[in-house]
Amino acid sequence: MFILLSEGTGTGTVSSLPMLISLAGLFAFMYFFMIRPQQKETKKKNAMLAELAVGDTVLTTSGFYGVIIDISDDTVIVEFGSNKNCRIPMQKDAVAAVEKPGAE
């Protein structure tokens, strides 16, 4: 940043314009490289979760692959593996990725 010192003699006025410009540049940098990408990623994940359907193959945040067999407001019931008795209810937020059936 800019450090401005005034001499003991003279008018003693210091311009704060360079400091304001650098501060504005810092805020612009933070917005375009930190805040905006995070907002885009959140919108993308919310759209993915809104499009969940029964029969979708999902990857959970814990690393398990399963098939959705039921959906309620904020929970999904996922069936894991070839054992049809392994059905676990979990929050929708635990879904990390979705693969639609027949999308190969």
Side-chain angles (χ1 to χ4, degrees), residues 54-76:
V54 174
D56 288 349
T57 302
V58 296
L59 172 67
T60 63
T61 54
S62 58
F64 293 111
Y65 286 96
V67 178
I68 294 179
I69 60 170
D70 191 26
I71 300 174
S72 65
D73 291 333
D74 61 344
T75 59
V76 293

Side-chain angles (χ1 to χ4, degrees), residues 47-60 64-71 76-81 84 88 90 92 95-104:
M48 176 194 66
L49 293 177
E51 295 175 359
L52 283 178
V54 174
D56 288 349
T57 302
V58 296
L59 172 67
T60 63
F64 293 111
Y65 286 96
V67 178
I68 294 179
I69 60 170
D70 191 26
I71 300 174
V76 293
I77 298 177
V78 182
E79 186 174 71
F80 295 101
K84 300 299 181 191
I88 300 174
M90 58 179 51
K92 279 186 179 180
V95 174
V98 177
E99 182 178 309
K100 296 288 183 181
E104 294 178 27

